[in-house]
Amino acid sequence: MQVLVRDNNVDQALRVLKKKMQREGLFREMKERRAYEKPSERRVREKAQAISRHRKAARKKMREGLLAGSKRVATTR
């Protein structure tokens, strides 16, 4: 990752660098790697992230009018 410093403006270059790192998910990854994560915890976290991504995509499609509003149907046994 590379950031250009223009006119000796280091503060602006740092802001740009932090924004790039945030976009790449570097801060999140560093936070996750601070401590050991059990494989079972990792699976739970990854599944939750996948569900979150799916819901976000569905919300985006609903906003664009491509997907009808889905309603959950309660089932009884």
Side-chain angles (χ1 to χ4, degrees), residues 1-72:
M1 193 173 301
Q2 184 177 7
V3 176
L4 298 175
V5 179
R6 297 183 183 150
D7 300 327
N8 279 339
N9 195 347
V10 178
D11 292 330
Q12 184 181 4
L14 277 174
R15 276 194 304 257
V16 171
L17 177 65
K18 285 183 181 179
K19 190 178 284 187
K20 281 186 176 185
M21 291 171 68
Q22 182 73 33
R23 248 186 260 129
E24 293 291 323
L26 201 66
F27 290 124
R28 189 180 328 112
E29 186 176 340
M30 285 171 36
K31 184 178 179 183
E32 289 171 359
R33 290 177 184 243
R34 280 191 188 140
Y36 178 74
E37 184 178 26
K38 290 175 26 180
S40 60
E41 292 173 347
R42 189 177 121 248
R43 282 192 298 271
V44 169
R45 178 181 51 80
E46 287 177 350
K47 187 172 184 176
Q49 287 175 340
I51 291 169
S52 176
R53 281 193 308 272
H54 180 73
R55 287 181 179 160
K56 183 177 179 180
R59 280 195 310 267
K60 185 177 179 182
K61 287 180 182 179
M62 277 180 57
R63 269 187 266 125
E64 294 171 356
L66 299 176
L67 184 69
S70 61
K71 294 184 180 179
R72 292 186 181 177

